[in-house]
């Protein structure tokens, strides 16, 4: 399927989807966004994502062009326009094949150049739908490498970490550093050296059967997938704690995994140059991922698709 763009309520061909060069999203990253994915063609945890979009907007005093109900309607319309036409990717994990990536962006708008938010007029609302390019089946089966990078997570006093804004330069630079180290994901520390999160994921460590992840107070995004995983751990009888973590806690862990909307739960089997645990995805990660698969629906394990 091609990319389908809904710009301000109009379905437009991607090449014609243009915003003003005066838009503050372009000039300053003055925007908020969400990434939602589908299962069976339907958005997953959409309410939580739309609530977080609202929260992000509130945190930076941005009035989104659309409310949650309108946004949900526009997402549905855009998904409808994006039906069919998928090419088969033999490397895709079965639960990602044929699914959609939905990006919702709300900018503060354009206006006279200047940092003052009061200059903004004409806010932009965008829904972009693409085929979901989730991690390949091999990433779930074998795990991925992550690298603790030198770029630090901006302190909460600088920008509220619970707001998902377009101001992403630190994350971009973190990924650049991770790629240079041959890693799939960058893990960012805060100014005091505590683990915060990935460039676009939350991070968990498993030691002695207990799952640990940094608390919201560590200055992280409250990941929707993180929330689902914490609930699943509790319902599976797996002890889960939100506690500050140091890099050593990740390095000494039996298992490490990252979570995000697009990735679900991906085992981290290498941290920098060192293998994590036995260097293979561990049993707690597998168990939580199986529970996640059961919740989200669709095929439960890496392997041939059962139809
Ligand atoms: N990113 N932390 C950061 C900094 C993120 O950007 C994301 C998500 C997460 C995980 O949140 P969730 O489980 O709600 O997806 C954590 C999205 C997927 C992205 O930017 O593509």
């Amino acid at each position: 399927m091609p990319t389908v763009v809904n710009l301000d309520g109009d379905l437009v061909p991607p090449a014609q989807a243009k915003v003003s060069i005066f838009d503050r999203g372009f000039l300053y990253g003055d925007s908020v966004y969400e990434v939602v994915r589908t299962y069976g063609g339907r958005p997953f945890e959409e309410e939580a994502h739309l609530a977080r979009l609202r929260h992000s907007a509130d945190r930076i005093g941005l009035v989104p062009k659309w409310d949650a109900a309108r946004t949900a309607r526009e997402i549905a319309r855009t998904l409808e326009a994006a039906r069919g036409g998928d090419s088969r990717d033999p490397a895709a994990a079965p639960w990602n094949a044929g699914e959609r990536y939905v990006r919702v962006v709300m900018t503060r708008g354009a206006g006279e150049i200047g940092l003052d938010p009061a200059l903004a007029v004409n806010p932009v609302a965008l829904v972009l739908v693409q085929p979901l390019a989730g991690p390949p089946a091999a990433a779930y089966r074998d795990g991925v490498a992550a690298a603790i990078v030198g770029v630090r997570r901006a302190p909460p006093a600088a920008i509220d970490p619970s707001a998902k804004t377009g101001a992403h330069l630190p994350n971009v630079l973190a990924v650049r550093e991770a790629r240079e180290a041959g890693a799939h994901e960058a893990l960012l520390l805060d100014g005091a050296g505590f683990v915060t999160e990935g460039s676009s994921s939350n991070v968990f460590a498993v030691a002695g059967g207990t799952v640990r992840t940094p608390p919201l107070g560590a200055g992280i995004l409250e990941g929707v997938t993180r929330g689902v995983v914490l609930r699943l751990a509790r319902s599976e009888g797996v002890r889960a704690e939100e506690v500050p973590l140091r890099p050593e806690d990740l390095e000494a862990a039996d298992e490490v995994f990252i979570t995000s909307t697009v990735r679900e739960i991906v085992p981290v089997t290498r941290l920098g140059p060192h293998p994590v645990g036995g260097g293979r995805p561990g049993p707690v990660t597998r168990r939580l991922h199986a529970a996640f698969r059961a919740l989200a629906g669709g095929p439960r394990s890496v392997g041939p698709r059962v139809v």
Side-chain angles (χ1 to χ4, degrees):
M1 58 143 298
T3 297
V4 176
V5 178
N6 177 334
L7 185 59
D8 291 329
D10 295 325
L11 295 171
V12 288
Q16 283 160 38
K18 305 220 165 117
V19 295
S20 165
I21 59 147
F22 295 101
D23 190 276
R24 301 170 63 90
F26 169 69
L27 288 174
Y28 313 126
D30 194 359
S31 62
V32 292
Y33 80 104
E34 275 299 318
V35 172
V36 187
R37 64 158 291 167
T38 63
Y39 289 102
R42 282 186 296 279
F44 181 65
E45 293 282 332
E46 188 181 37
E47 253 178 57
H49 284 286
L50 294 181
R52 190 172 64 187
L53 187 67
R54 180 78 227 185
H55 167 84
S56 301
D58 286 348
R59 297 309 296 155
I60 64 165
L62 181 155
V63 181
K65 181 161 186 153
W66 299 335
D67 64 9
R70 170 89 191 266
T71 308
R73 283 201 302 279
E74 296 293 348
I75 290 173
R77 245 183 95 213
T78 318
L79 281 171
E80 187 57 38
R83 277 164 78 99
D86 287 284
S87 51
R88 212 182 95 68
D89 173 5
W95 48 87
N96 292 335
E99 299 296 347
R100 301 287 179 253
Y101 168 100
V102 183
R103 191 177 185 94
V104 181
V105 183
M106 305 274 172
T107 80
R108 203 189 296 271
E112 216 175 287
I113 294 232
L115 294 180
D116 184 356
L119 295 168
V121 287
N122 299 331
V124 167
L126 169 76
V127 177
L128 179 141
V129 172
Q130 290 188 325
L132 181 86
Y140 298 95
R141 194 186 54 227
D142 303 331
V144 297
I148 296 173
V149 294
V151 175
R152 298 291 165 120
R153 182 68 159 101
I159 191 163
D160 185 335
S162 70
K164 201 162 166 58
T165 76
H168 253 47
L169 190 56
N171 310 53
V172 169
L173 297 181
V175 170
R176 181 169 176 252
E177 218 183 308
R179 292 291 187 272
E180 276 166 7
H184 163 86
E185 176 61 307
L187 301 177
L188 290 88
L189 307 180
D190 67 11
F194 286 96
V195 175
T196 62
E197 61 187 336
S199 68
S200 61
S201 62
N202 292 111
V203 62
F204 291 71
V206 185
T210 298
V211 174
R212 297 191 177 88
T213 195
L216 298 180
I220 58 171
L221 187 77
E222 185 172 2
V224 171
T225 321
R226 173 185 182 277
V228 171
V229 167
L230 285 173
R231 286 201 299 279
L232 282 175
R234 283 163 193 148
S235 67
E236 289 280 306
V238 175
R239 198 174 149 81
E241 295 174 348
E242 296 171 70
V243 288
L245 296 176
R246 293 237 178 225
E248 307 84 89
D249 297 317
L250 298 187
E251 282 152 12
D254 303 323
E255 303 174 37
V256 172
F257 61 86
I258 52 173
T259 65
S260 80
T261 295
V262 169
R263 299 179 179 95
E264 300 189 339
I265 298 173
V266 170
V268 172
T269 45
R270 189 158 274 281
L271 257 183
H274 308 292
V276 175
R280 298 291 307 160
V284 177
T285 308
R286 285 195 179 287
R287 182 163 162 207
L288 290 173
H289 196 210
F292 190 96
R293 297 270 64 265
L295 175 82
R300 293 189 61 150
S301 64
V302 178
R305 188 165 199 165
V306 182
V307 283

